[in-house]
Amino acid sequence: MNRKGILIVVSGFSGVGKGTLMKCLTERYGHYALSISATTRPPRKGEEDGREYFFKTKEEFEQLIKEERLIEYACYCGNYYGTPCDYVEDQMEQGRDVILEIELQGALKVRQKYPEALLLFVMPPDAQTLLSRLQTRGTETEDVIRARLERAVEESQDVEKYDYMIINDDLEQSVEKLHSLIESQHYKMSRNLDFVRQIRKEIKELAKGE
Amino acid sequence: MNRKGILIVVSGFSGVGKGTLMKCLTERYGHYALSISATTRPPRKGEEDGREYFFKTKEEFEQLIKEERLIEYACYCGNYYGTPCDYVEDQMEQGRDVILEIELQGALKVRQKYPEALLLFVMPPDAQTLLSRLQTRGTETEDVIRARLERAVEESQDVEKYDYMIINDDLEQSVEKLHSLIESQHYKMSRNLDFVRQIRKEIKELAKGE
Protein backbone atom coordinates (compact mmCIF):
# COMPACT_ATOMS: atom_id res chain seq x y z
CA MET A 1 0.00 0.00 0.00
CA ASN A 2 1.73 3.20 -1.05
CA ARG A 3 -1.05 5.66 -0.31
CA LYS A 4 -0.62 7.88 2.72
CA GLY A 5 -2.89 7.35 5.71
CA ILE A 6 -5.63 9.69 6.86
CA LEU A 7 -6.04 11.14 10.32
CA ILE A 8 -9.57 10.67 11.64
CA VAL A 9 -10.90 12.29 14.78
CA VAL A 10 -13.90 10.55 16.28
CA SER A 11 -16.10 12.12 18.95
CA GLY A 12 -19.54 11.32 20.28
CA PHE A 13 -21.70 11.55 23.40
CA SER A 14 -20.94 9.25 26.30
CA GLY A 15 -22.98 6.08 25.74
CA VAL A 16 -23.22 6.38 21.97
CA GLY A 17 -21.09 3.26 21.49
CA LYS A 18 -18.09 4.74 19.72
CA GLY A 19 -15.67 2.47 21.60
CA THR A 20 -17.37 -0.67 20.29
CA LEU A 21 -17.60 0.84 16.84
CA MET A 22 -13.85 1.59 16.72
CA LYS A 23 -13.02 -1.86 18.07
CA CYS A 24 -15.08 -3.58 15.35
CA LEU A 25 -13.67 -1.36 12.64
CA THR A 26 -10.03 -1.92 13.57
CA GLU A 27 -10.56 -5.65 14.04
CA ARG A 28 -12.26 -6.05 10.69
CA TYR A 29 -9.87 -3.98 8.60
CA GLY A 30 -6.16 -4.32 9.18
CA HIS A 31 -5.05 -0.91 7.95
CA TYR A 32 -6.51 1.17 10.78
CA ALA A 33 -4.51 2.20 13.82
CA LEU A 34 -5.89 3.66 17.01
CA SER A 35 -3.78 6.52 18.21
CA ILE A 36 -2.01 5.93 21.52
CA SER A 37 -1.97 8.77 24.04
CA ALA A 38 0.90 9.82 26.24
CA THR A 39 0.16 10.36 29.92
CA THR A 40 1.86 11.14 33.20
CA ARG A 41 -0.56 9.03 35.22
CA PRO A 42 1.11 5.88 36.53
CA PRO A 43 0.36 2.61 34.69
CA ARG A 44 -2.38 0.45 36.20
CA LYS A 45 -1.99 -3.28 36.63
CA GLY A 46 -1.82 -5.01 33.24
CA GLU A 47 -1.19 -1.80 31.28
CA GLU A 48 1.81 -1.78 29.00
CA ASP A 49 3.87 1.15 27.77
CA GLY A 50 3.13 1.70 24.08
CA ARG A 51 -0.08 -0.35 24.16
CA GLU A 52 -2.62 1.43 26.40
CA TYR A 53 -0.51 4.57 26.79
CA PHE A 54 2.97 5.92 26.40
CA PHE A 55 3.84 6.45 30.05
CA LYS A 56 5.93 9.56 30.68
CA THR A 57 7.31 11.43 33.63
CA LYS A 58 6.11 14.99 34.17
CA GLU A 59 9.48 16.25 32.91
CA GLU A 60 9.34 14.14 29.76
CA PHE A 61 5.80 15.27 29.05
CA GLU A 62 6.65 18.94 29.52
CA GLN A 63 9.58 18.43 27.18
CA LEU A 64 7.16 17.08 24.52
CA ILE A 65 4.99 20.16 25.00
CA LYS A 66 8.00 22.46 24.68
CA GLU A 67 9.18 20.76 21.51
CA GLU A 68 5.64 20.90 20.04
CA ARG A 69 5.61 17.16 19.61
CA LEU A 70 2.02 16.79 20.81
CA ILE A 71 -0.95 17.35 18.51
CA GLU A 72 -3.08 18.27 21.48
CA TYR A 73 -2.90 17.80 25.24
CA ALA A 74 -4.89 18.52 28.36
CA CYS A 75 -4.60 18.15 32.10
CA TYR A 76 -7.20 16.08 33.99
CA CYS A 77 -7.06 15.43 37.72
CA GLY A 78 -3.47 16.53 37.96
CA ASN A 79 -2.22 14.30 35.13
CA TYR A 80 -1.28 15.22 31.59
CA TYR A 81 -2.83 13.41 28.63
CA GLY A 82 -1.89 14.12 25.02
CA THR A 83 -1.42 12.80 21.51
CA PRO A 84 2.18 12.48 20.33
CA CYS A 85 2.75 13.57 16.71
CA ASP A 86 5.47 11.01 16.08
CA TYR A 87 3.33 7.93 16.53
CA VAL A 88 0.47 9.34 14.43
CA GLU A 89 2.75 10.47 11.64
CA ASP A 90 4.71 7.20 11.55
CA GLN A 91 1.48 5.26 11.21
CA MET A 92 0.20 7.52 8.43
CA GLU A 93 3.51 7.23 6.57
CA GLN A 94 3.06 3.47 6.69
CA GLY A 95 -0.32 3.91 4.99
CA ARG A 96 -2.46 3.40 8.08
CA ASP A 97 -5.58 5.45 8.67
CA VAL A 98 -5.15 6.65 12.24
CA ILE A 99 -8.13 7.10 14.54
CA LEU A 100 -8.07 9.53 17.41
CA GLU A 101 -10.90 9.35 19.93
CA ILE A 102 -11.02 12.80 21.53
CA GLU A 103 -13.42 15.60 22.34
CA LEU A 104 -14.17 18.79 20.47
CA GLN A 105 -11.43 21.02 21.94
CA GLY A 106 -8.80 18.47 20.97
CA ALA A 107 -10.48 17.87 17.62
CA LEU A 108 -10.18 21.55 16.71
CA LYS A 109 -6.49 21.55 17.64
CA VAL A 110 -5.98 18.54 15.40
CA ARG A 111 -7.62 20.38 12.52
CA GLN A 112 -5.32 23.36 13.05
CA LYS A 113 -2.26 21.15 12.82
CA TYR A 114 -3.62 18.78 10.13
CA PRO A 115 -6.15 20.64 7.98
CA GLU A 116 -6.78 17.46 5.98
CA ALA A 117 -7.92 15.54 9.08
CA LEU A 118 -11.44 14.13 8.99
CA LEU A 119 -13.61 15.19 11.94
CA LEU A 120 -16.39 12.76 12.60
CA PHE A 121 -19.20 12.73 15.15
CA VAL A 122 -21.03 9.54 16.13
CA MET A 123 -24.73 10.16 16.82
CA PRO A 124 -27.35 8.00 18.50
CA PRO A 125 -30.45 7.46 16.31
CA ASP A 126 -32.45 9.49 18.87
CA ALA A 127 -32.16 10.80 22.44
CA GLN A 128 -34.21 7.99 23.96
CA THR A 129 -31.77 5.40 22.60
CA LEU A 130 -28.89 7.32 24.15
CA LEU A 131 -30.65 7.32 27.52
CA SER A 132 -31.42 3.59 27.29
CA ARG A 133 -27.79 2.82 26.49
CA LEU A 134 -26.63 4.84 29.48
CA GLN A 135 -29.17 3.08 31.71
CA THR A 136 -28.43 -0.47 30.55
CA ARG A 137 -24.79 -0.08 31.40
CA GLY A 138 -26.27 -0.69 34.85
CA THR A 139 -23.28 0.73 36.67
CA GLU A 140 -24.39 4.34 36.73
CA THR A 141 -26.62 6.10 39.25
CA GLU A 142 -29.43 8.42 38.19
CA ASP A 143 -27.20 11.38 39.02
CA VAL A 144 -24.36 10.17 36.84
CA ILE A 145 -26.77 9.57 33.97
CA ARG A 146 -28.23 13.04 34.39
CA ALA A 147 -24.71 14.52 34.37
CA ARG A 148 -23.87 12.60 31.18
CA LEU A 149 -26.99 13.93 29.48
CA GLU A 150 -26.13 17.47 30.54
CA ARG A 151 -22.65 16.99 29.15
CA ALA A 152 -24.24 15.73 25.91
CA VAL A 153 -26.34 18.90 25.72
CA GLU A 154 -23.16 20.98 25.97
CA GLU A 155 -21.32 18.88 23.39
CA SER A 156 -24.27 19.04 21.02
CA GLN A 157 -23.83 22.83 20.77
CA ASP A 158 -20.75 22.40 18.64
CA VAL A 159 -21.35 19.32 16.53
CA GLU A 160 -21.75 21.46 13.43
CA LYS A 161 -18.00 21.95 13.53
CA TYR A 162 -17.46 18.32 12.57
CA ASP A 163 -17.22 17.32 8.91
CA TYR A 164 -19.40 14.24 8.98
CA MET A 165 -21.75 12.38 11.27
CA ILE A 166 -22.57 8.70 11.44
CA ILE A 167 -25.78 7.55 13.11
CA ASN A 168 -24.89 4.49 15.18
CA ASP A 169 -28.12 2.58 14.88
CA ASP A 170 -27.10 -0.90 13.79
CA LEU A 171 -23.48 -1.70 14.75
CA GLU A 172 -22.79 -3.84 11.69
CA GLN A 173 -24.07 -1.17 9.30
CA SER A 174 -22.30 1.60 11.17
CA VAL A 175 -18.94 -0.14 10.85
CA GLU A 176 -19.44 -0.41 7.10
CA LYS A 177 -20.64 3.18 6.77
CA LEU A 178 -17.64 4.39 8.70
CA HIS A 179 -15.27 2.32 6.61
CA SER A 180 -16.78 3.55 3.30
CA LEU A 181 -16.67 7.10 4.50
CA ILE A 182 -12.99 6.93 5.44
CA GLU A 183 -12.15 4.97 2.31
CA SER A 184 -13.80 7.55 0.09
CA GLN A 185 -11.71 10.31 1.69
CA HIS A 186 -8.74 8.77 -0.06
CA TYR A 187 -10.33 9.82 -3.37
CA LYS A 188 -10.23 13.50 -2.48
CA MET A 189 -8.52 15.45 -5.23
CA SER A 190 -6.26 17.19 -2.72
CA ARG A 191 -4.89 13.80 -1.65
CA ASN A 192 -4.05 12.76 -5.20
CA LEU A 193 -2.08 15.66 -6.57
CA ASP A 194 0.99 13.53 -7.26
CA PHE A 195 -1.08 11.19 -9.37
CA VAL A 196 -2.61 14.14 -11.20
CA ARG A 197 0.80 15.64 -11.99
CA GLN A 198 2.08 12.29 -13.20
CA ILE A 199 -0.81 11.49 -15.54
CA ARG A 200 -0.85 15.04 -16.90
CA LYS A 201 2.80 14.63 -17.84
CA GLU A 202 2.18 11.21 -19.40
CA ILE A 203 -0.77 12.37 -21.52
CA LYS A 204 1.18 15.39 -22.67
CA GLU A 205 4.01 13.14 -23.85
CA LEU A 206 1.63 10.82 -25.67
CA ALA A 207 -0.15 13.73 -27.38
CA LYS A 208 3.14 15.17 -28.58
CA GLY A 209 5.02 12.02 -29.31
CA GLU A 210 3.68 8.67 -30.37
CA MET B 1 -36.55 7.55 1.65
CA ASN B 2 -36.91 11.00 3.19
CA ARG B 3 -33.36 12.22 2.73
CA LYS B 4 -32.77 14.79 0.04
CA GLY B 5 -30.80 13.83 -3.05
CA ILE B 6 -27.32 15.01 -3.94
CA LEU B 7 -26.25 16.62 -7.18
CA ILE B 8 -23.17 14.98 -8.65
CA VAL B 9 -21.21 16.34 -11.58
CA VAL B 10 -19.11 13.77 -13.39
CA SER B 11 -16.40 14.68 -15.86
CA GLY B 12 -13.51 12.78 -17.38
CA PHE B 13 -11.34 12.54 -20.48
CA SER B 14 -12.86 11.15 -23.64
CA GLY B 15 -12.28 7.39 -23.59
CA VAL B 16 -12.05 7.04 -19.82
CA GLY B 17 -15.26 5.01 -19.72
CA LYS B 18 -17.49 7.30 -17.67
CA GLY B 19 -20.55 6.47 -19.78
CA THR B 20 -20.28 2.76 -18.98
CA LEU B 21 -19.57 3.57 -15.36
CA MET B 22 -22.70 5.72 -15.02
CA LYS B 23 -24.79 3.12 -16.83
CA CYS B 24 -23.68 0.36 -14.43
CA LEU B 25 -24.17 2.57 -11.40
CA THR B 26 -27.71 3.63 -12.30
CA GLU B 27 -28.71 0.11 -13.31
CA ARG B 28 -27.40 -1.39 -10.09
CA TYR B 29 -28.84 1.16 -7.66
CA GLY B 30 -32.36 2.41 -8.18
CA HIS B 31 -32.04 5.78 -6.47
CA TYR B 32 -29.78 7.47 -9.01
CA ALA B 33 -31.12 9.62 -11.83
CA LEU B 34 -29.17 10.81 -14.84
CA SER B 35 -29.92 14.42 -15.58
CA ILE B 36 -31.65 15.01 -18.90
CA SER B 37 -30.48 17.96 -21.00
CA ALA B 38 -32.62 20.33 -22.96
CA THR B 39 -31.59 21.01 -26.56
CA THR B 40 -32.72 22.83 -29.67
CA ARG B 41 -31.26 20.24 -32.01
CA PRO B 42 -33.99 18.20 -33.68
CA PRO B 43 -34.66 14.69 -32.34
CA ARG B 44 -32.94 11.85 -34.18
CA LYS B 45 -34.75 8.68 -35.13
CA GLY B 46 -35.72 6.73 -32.01
CA GLU B 47 -35.11 9.63 -29.61
CA GLU B 48 -37.94 10.54 -27.29
CA ASP B 49 -38.72 13.84 -25.62
CA GLY B 50 -37.94 13.56 -21.89
CA ARG B 51 -35.80 10.43 -22.33
CA GLU B 52 -32.70 11.33 -24.36
CA TYR B 53 -33.37 15.08 -24.25
CA PHE B 54 -36.03 17.63 -23.62
CA PHE B 55 -36.49 18.94 -27.15
CA LYS B 56 -37.17 22.68 -27.29
CA THR B 57 -37.60 25.32 -29.95
CA LYS B 58 -35.09 28.14 -30.00
CA GLU B 59 -37.71 30.46 -28.52
CA GLU B 60 -38.54 28.06 -25.70
CA PHE B 61 -34.85 27.58 -24.91
CA GLU B 62 -34.17 31.30 -24.85
CA GLN B 63 -37.15 31.72 -22.54
CA LEU B 64 -35.54 29.19 -20.15
CA ILE B 65 -32.30 31.19 -20.24
CA LYS B 66 -34.18 34.42 -19.57
CA GLU B 67 -36.04 32.93 -16.61
CA GLU B 68 -32.78 31.46 -15.22
CA ARG B 69 -34.23 27.99 -15.29
CA LEU B 70 -31.06 26.39 -16.62
CA ILE B 71 -28.20 25.41 -14.35
CA GLU B 72 -25.78 25.81 -17.23
CA TYR B 73 -26.00 25.94 -20.99
CA ALA B 74 -23.80 26.22 -24.02
CA CYS B 75 -24.06 26.49 -27.78
CA TYR B 76 -22.41 23.84 -29.99
CA CYS B 77 -22.68 23.78 -33.78
CA GLY B 78 -25.53 26.24 -33.78
CA ASN B 79 -27.65 24.34 -31.25
CA TYR B 80 -28.27 25.08 -27.59
CA TYR B 81 -27.68 22.44 -24.94
CA GLY B 82 -28.40 22.97 -21.25
CA THR B 83 -29.48 21.49 -17.94
CA PRO B 84 -32.96 22.48 -16.72
CA CYS B 85 -33.15 23.20 -12.97
CA ASP B 86 -36.69 21.87 -12.63
CA TYR B 87 -35.92 18.28 -13.54
CA VAL B 88 -32.81 18.14 -11.34
CA GLU B 89 -34.55 19.70 -8.36
CA ASP B 90 -37.65 17.50 -8.67
CA GLN B 91 -35.48 14.41 -8.67
CA MET B 92 -33.49 15.58 -5.64
CA GLU B 93 -36.68 16.38 -3.76
CA GLN B 94 -37.77 12.80 -4.39
CA GLY B 95 -34.56 11.63 -2.75
CA ARG B 96 -32.70 10.74 -5.93
CA ASP B 97 -29.02 11.43 -6.33
CA VAL B 98 -28.79 13.17 -9.68
CA ILE B 99 -25.81 12.70 -11.97
CA LEU B 100 -24.81 15.32 -14.49
CA GLU B 101 -22.23 14.37 -17.09
CA ILE B 102 -20.69 17.66 -18.20
CA GLU B 103 -17.35 19.38 -18.69
CA LEU B 104 -15.44 21.72 -16.42
CA GLN B 105 -17.03 25.02 -17.48
CA GLY B 106 -20.49 23.61 -16.81
CA ALA B 107 -19.30 21.95 -13.61
CA LEU B 108 -18.13 25.28 -12.20
CA LYS B 109 -21.49 26.88 -13.03
CA VAL B 110 -23.22 24.05 -11.21
CA ARG B 111 -21.07 24.67 -8.15
CA GLN B 112 -21.98 28.37 -8.20
CA LYS B 113 -25.67 27.55 -8.19
CA TYR B 114 -25.46 24.48 -5.89
CA PRO B 115 -22.45 24.88 -3.58
CA GLU B 116 -23.20 21.46 -2.05
CA ALA B 117 -22.83 19.69 -5.41
CA LEU B 118 -20.17 17.01 -5.61
CA LEU B 119 -17.66 17.50 -8.44
CA LEU B 120 -16.05 14.28 -9.51
CA PHE B 121 -13.41 13.47 -12.10
CA VAL B 122 -12.99 9.98 -13.56
CA MET B 123 -9.33 9.17 -14.25
CA PRO B 124 -7.72 6.40 -16.28
CA PRO B 125 -5.16 4.39 -14.27
CA ASP B 126 -2.46 5.78 -16.58
CA ALA B 127 -2.10 7.57 -19.92
CA GLN B 128 -1.28 4.40 -21.85
CA THR B 129 -4.59 2.84 -20.82
CA LEU B 130 -6.43 5.95 -22.01
CA LEU B 131 -4.69 5.70 -25.38
CA SER B 132 -5.48 1.98 -25.69
CA ARG B 133 -9.13 2.61 -24.92
CA LEU B 134 -9.31 5.31 -27.57
CA GLN B 135 -7.60 3.00 -30.08
CA THR B 136 -9.72 -0.07 -29.41
CA ARG B 137 -12.89 1.85 -30.10
CA GLY B 138 -11.64 1.19 -33.64
CA THR B 139 -13.75 3.91 -35.17
CA GLU B 140 -11.31 6.74 -34.74
CA THR B 141 -8.50 7.78 -37.06
CA GLU B 142 -5.03 8.61 -35.77
CA ASP B 143 -5.85 12.30 -36.12
CA VAL B 144 -9.01 12.04 -34.05
CA ILE B 145 -7.14 10.14 -31.34
CA ARG B 146 -4.39 12.77 -31.32
CA ALA B 147 -7.05 15.50 -31.02
CA ARG B 148 -8.68 13.68 -28.10
CA LEU B 149 -5.34 13.42 -26.33
CA GLU B 150 -4.69 17.10 -26.87
CA ARG B 151 -8.12 17.87 -25.46
CA ALA B 152 -7.27 15.66 -22.47
CA VAL B 153 -4.09 17.66 -21.89
CA GLU B 154 -6.17 20.84 -21.79
CA GLU B 155 -8.77 19.33 -19.47
CA SER B 156 -6.08 17.99 -17.18
CA GLN B 157 -4.97 21.56 -16.41
CA ASP B 158 -8.03 22.11 -14.27
CA VAL B 159 -8.78 18.79 -12.62
CA GLU B 160 -7.65 20.16 -9.26
CA LYS B 161 -10.91 22.10 -9.19
CA TYR B 162 -12.87 18.89 -8.73
CA ASP B 163 -13.59 17.59 -5.23
CA TYR B 164 -12.83 13.92 -5.78
CA MET B 165 -11.32 11.62 -8.39
CA ILE B 166 -12.06 7.98 -9.08
CA ILE B 167 -9.52 5.88 -10.96
CA ASN B 168 -11.48 3.76 -13.41
CA ASP B 169 -9.30 0.67 -13.46
CA ASP B 170 -11.65 -2.22 -12.83
CA LEU B 171 -15.25 -1.37 -13.80
CA GLU B 172 -16.84 -3.46 -11.05
CA GLN B 173 -14.67 -1.86 -8.35
CA SER B 174 -15.13 1.61 -9.77
CA VAL B 175 -18.92 1.32 -9.60
CA GLU B 176 -18.69 0.36 -5.94
CA LYS B 177 -16.17 3.10 -5.14
CA LEU B 178 -18.38 5.66 -6.82
CA HIS B 179 -21.44 4.44 -4.96
CA SER B 180 -19.67 4.51 -1.56
CA LEU B 181 -18.31 7.94 -2.25
CA ILE B 182 -21.73 9.38 -3.12
CA GLU B 183 -23.38 7.50 -0.27
CA SER B 184 -20.90 8.88 2.24
CA GLN B 185 -21.66 12.43 1.10
CA HIS B 186 -25.06 11.97 2.71
CA TYR B 187 -23.28 11.84 6.09
CA LYS B 188 -21.88 15.34 5.71
CA MET B 189 -22.74 17.42 8.76
CA SER B 190 -24.05 20.24 6.57
CA ARG B 191 -26.62 17.86 5.09
CA ASN B 192 -27.90 16.75 8.48
CA LEU B 193 -28.58 19.98 10.31
CA ASP B 194 -32.28 19.18 10.80
CA PHE B 195 -31.36 15.94 12.50
CA VAL B 196 -28.83 17.76 14.68
CA ARG B 197 -31.38 20.36 15.78
CA GLN B 198 -33.93 17.65 16.56
CA ILE B 199 -31.63 15.47 18.66
CA ARG B 200 -30.22 18.48 20.52
CA LYS B 201 -33.76 19.44 21.50
CA GLU B 202 -34.61 15.88 22.56
CA ILE B 203 -31.49 15.47 24.71
CA LYS B 204 -32.11 18.84 26.32
CA GLU B 205 -35.62 17.76 27.27
CA LEU B 206 -34.38 14.46 28.69
CA ALA B 207 -31.66 16.17 30.72
CA LYS B 208 -34.12 18.63 32.19
CA GLY B 209 -37.10 16.36 32.59
CA GLU B 210 -37.31 12.89 34.03
Side-chain angles (χ1 to χ4, degrees), chain A residues 46-111:
Chain A
E47 285 184 342
E48 242 176 60
D49 185 51
R51 195 179 62 189
E52 282 79 11
Y53 286 97
F54 295 112
F55 294 102
K56 305 281 176 192
T57 64
K58 192 159 174 278
E59 292 66 37
E60 286 170 335
F61 202 101
E62 288 173 346
Q63 191 62 24
L64 288 176
I65 298 176
K66 219 172 111 188
E67 293 172 3
E68 300 188 0
R69 285 168 61 200
L70 297 170
I71 303 179
E72 52 84 42
Y73 70 94
C75 203
Y76 299 110
C77 312
N79 288 309
Y80 281 124
Y81 293 82
T83 308
C85 304
D86 289 0
Y87 180 78
V88 166
E89 288 177 8
D90 279 359
Q91 295 289 321
M92 288 200 293
E93 274 312 317
Q94 289 171 40
R96 288 179 191 274
D97 295 333
V98 182
I99 298 171
L100 245 166
E101 235 189 282
I102 48 175
E103 298 191 356
L104 180 76
Q105 292 317 314
L108 296 180
K109 281 179 204 158
V110 172
R111 179 179 278 155

